[in-house]
C-alpha cells in the first residue's frame, strides 16, 4: 500500500491487497505462525465467517489508518506490506475471548494474554518513538489493536477493557 498510488492512482484495493504481500519468507512465516497460535481459538469461538470478516476489516482499517498517518506526515514513498495489522488484531481478539489464557515467555515467565497485549503495545509505542531506520510499520501494529477494539465495540457490543477488568476483579 502506497499513499501516492492510493490517492492519486485511485488504487483503493491496496487497503486489502497489502495484507497478502510480504517482504520475505521470514516475514510471512512469523505472521502466519502468530495467526496460527492466536487465530485458531478465536475462530472456533466466533466461527469462520465472523473470523474472516474480522480479519479482513481489521487489516483494511490498519492499512487505512496507516495511510492517513503516512499521507498527512508527508511519508508518501512508503510501501506497506504484510498481514501484521490484522495479526495484531487477532492477538487482541484472543486476549478478549480468552483473558485467563497464560503464555510462558522462555517457557518460564507466565504472562496473561491481556497483559501480553499491553506489553506488545508498549513495545510498539517505544519502537515507533525511539526506533530508527527500521522497515517495520509499528503504527500499523498499533492500528491493528485499535481496529480490533473498534470492531468489538461497534459490531459485537463487547467492551474489551470491561472484560479484562471483570476477569481480574477479585
Amino acid at each position: 500500500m502506497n499513499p501516492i498510488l492510493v490517492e492519486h492512482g485511485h488504487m483503493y484495493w491496496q487497503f486489502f491487497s497489502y495484507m497478502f504481500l510480504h517482504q520475505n519468507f521470514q516475514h510471512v512465516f512469523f505472521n502466519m505462525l502468530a495467526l496460527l497460535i492466536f487465530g485458531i481459538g478465536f475462530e472456533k469461538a466466533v466461527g469462520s465467517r465472523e473470523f474472516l470478516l474480522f480479519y479482513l476489516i481489521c487489516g483494511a482499517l490498519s492499512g487505512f489508518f496507516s495511510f492517513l498517518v503516512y499521507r498527512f506526515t508527508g511519508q508518501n514513498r512508503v510501501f506497506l506490506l504484510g498481514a501484521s495489522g490484522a495479526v495484531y488484531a487477532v492477538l487482541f481478539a484472543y486476549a478478549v475471548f480468552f483473558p485467563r489464557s497464560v503464555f510462558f515467555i522462555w517457557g518460564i515467565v507466565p504472562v496473561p494474554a491481556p497483559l501480553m497485549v499491553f506489553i506488545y503495545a508498549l513495545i510498539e509505542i517505544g519502537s515507533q518513538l525511539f526506533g530508527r531506520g527500521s522497515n517495520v510499520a509499528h503504527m500499523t501494529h498499533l492500528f491493528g489493536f485499535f481496529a480490533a477494539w473498534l470492531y468489538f465495540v461497534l459490531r459485537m457490543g463487547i467492551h474489551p477493557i470491561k472484560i479484562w477488568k471483570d476477569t481480574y476483579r477479585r
Side-chain angles (χ1 to χ4, degrees), residues 13-168:
W13 62 82
Q14 288 188 5
F15 293 130
F16 288 99
S17 64
Y18 86 97
M19 292 184 277
F20 301 101
L21 299 170
H22 290 77
Q23 183 178 4
N24 53 36
F25 177 77
Q26 181 182 4
H27 187 200
V28 71
F29 175 79
F30 284 109
N31 270 305
M32 295 305 105
L33 180 62
L35 187 59
L36 177 71
I37 292 168
F38 303 111
I40 289 176
F42 177 55
E43 182 186 8
K44 285 182 181 178
V46 298
S48 295
R49 284 186 172 192
E50 189 70 29
F51 176 82
L52 182 61
L53 184 66
F54 174 86
Y55 184 86
L56 293 175
I57 287 175
C58 289
L61 282 174
S62 297
F64 177 72
F65 294 142
S66 295
F67 164 78
L68 292 176
V69 168
Y70 293 144
R71 180 64 187 93
F72 293 109
T73 59
Q75 299 177 60
N76 295 321
R77 296 181 191 261
V78 170
F79 283 88
L80 185 64
L81 298 171
S84 300
V87 170
Y88 271 68
V90 171
L91 168 63
F92 187 93
Y94 183 88
V96 170
F97 272 76
F98 306 102
R100 291 200 179 274
S101 180
V102 175
F103 291 90
F104 289 87
I105 308 299
W106 301 298
I108 302 169
V109 181
V111 179
L115 180 58
M116 189 169 66
V117 166
F118 181 72
I119 291 169
Y120 268 82
L122 290 177
I123 291 169
E124 292 302 322
I125 291 167
S127 297
Q128 179 65 35
L129 294 175
F130 305 114
R132 295 202 173 235
S134 171
N135 286 332
V136 177
H138 299 289
M139 289 304 294
T140 304
H141 299 167
L142 291 168
F143 290 143
F145 286 156
F146 180 65
W149 180 82
L150 279 177
Y151 190 94
F152 281 127
V153 171
L154 297 176
R155 176 163 169 83
M156 300 180 107
I158 296 172
H159 296 279
I161 305 299
K162 184 178 183 316
I163 287 176
W164 294 333
K165 281 183 180 178
D166 291 347
T167 300
Y168 292 99

